[in-house]
Amino acid sequence: MSDSVSENQETNDSLQSFQSMSLNDAGEATHEQENSHKCDKQKIDILLKPTGNAPIMKKKKWTVEGDKPISWIAEFMKRYMKLEPNEKLFLYVNQTFAPSPDQIMKNLYDCYSTEGKLVLHYCKTPAWG
């Protein structure tokens, strides 16, 4: 009988060891998910430069969340500059191309940033690209 009790004890110890190992693995996975969530919320520095007939913004350097689309930036700028709803605002990355409205800021930053900033030129009429 003592053999079966010790066997049960060993089985319980092994099971508890396995359960704690699974919890640790899950805890690490949760920790990795939190880190990736923090990366999604990474702030990105952007530099806004006027071009052509665009009004000049008093504040040129901004920090935005990386998961925002470029269309969100354009709408924010239109409100900030108090443009009419029917007025258009064109954004260009590094004076070369206009990104699609659904392009995510982090992607643009990763590909086209210089000196830790993403440079966006803006104007009210088409300029480049």
Side-chain angles (χ1 to χ4, degrees):
M1 184 157 203
S2 67
D3 288 335
S4 68
V5 170
S6 68
E7 262 182 55
N8 285 342
Q9 185 63 29
E10 286 178 32
T11 304
N12 286 340
D13 290 343
S14 297
L15 184 58
Q16 286 176 349
S17 174
F18 177 76
Q19 287 174 340
S20 67
M21 185 169 47
S22 297
L23 289 175
N24 287 342
D25 290 345
E28 290 172 10
T30 302
H31 184 64
E32 288 174 12
Q33 288 173 352
E34 288 172 4
N35 286 343
S36 68
H37 185 66
K38 287 178 184 175
C39 290
D40 290 345
K41 295 292 182 185
Q42 176 184 359
K43 299 287 186 172
I44 291 175
D45 292 330
I46 59 173
L47 182 62
L48 301 173
K49 293 186 173 186
T51 301
N53 63 347
I56 298 172
M57 297 174 67
K58 289 182 181 180
K59 184 176 177 184
K60 296 176 187 326
K61 295 179 185 176
W62 294 84
T63 302
V64 297
E65 292 179 5
D67 62 348
K68 298 283 187 196
I70 193 88
S71 60
W72 183 88
I73 303 295
E75 289 302 314
F76 168 78
M77 291 174 64
K78 286 171 78 171
R79 285 191 311 264
Y80 183 84
M81 294 185 288
K82 298 178 179 142
L83 297 179
E84 295 294 322
N86 61 347
E87 288 183 280
K88 295 199 182 277
L89 187 67
F90 297 90
L91 294 177
Y92 296 93
V93 176
N94 295 336
Q95 295 182 339
T96 54
F97 72 97
S100 65
D102 63 344
Q103 190 63 250
I104 303 299
M105 294 300 296
K106 179 155 178 28
N107 294 344
L108 292 171
Y109 178 83
D110 289 343
C111 295
Y112 302 104
S113 66
T114 55
E115 298 177 8
K117 292 180 186 71
L118 178 63
V119 180
L120 296 176
H121 293 262
Y122 64 95
C123 58
K124 291 171 63 175
T125 57
W128 298 285

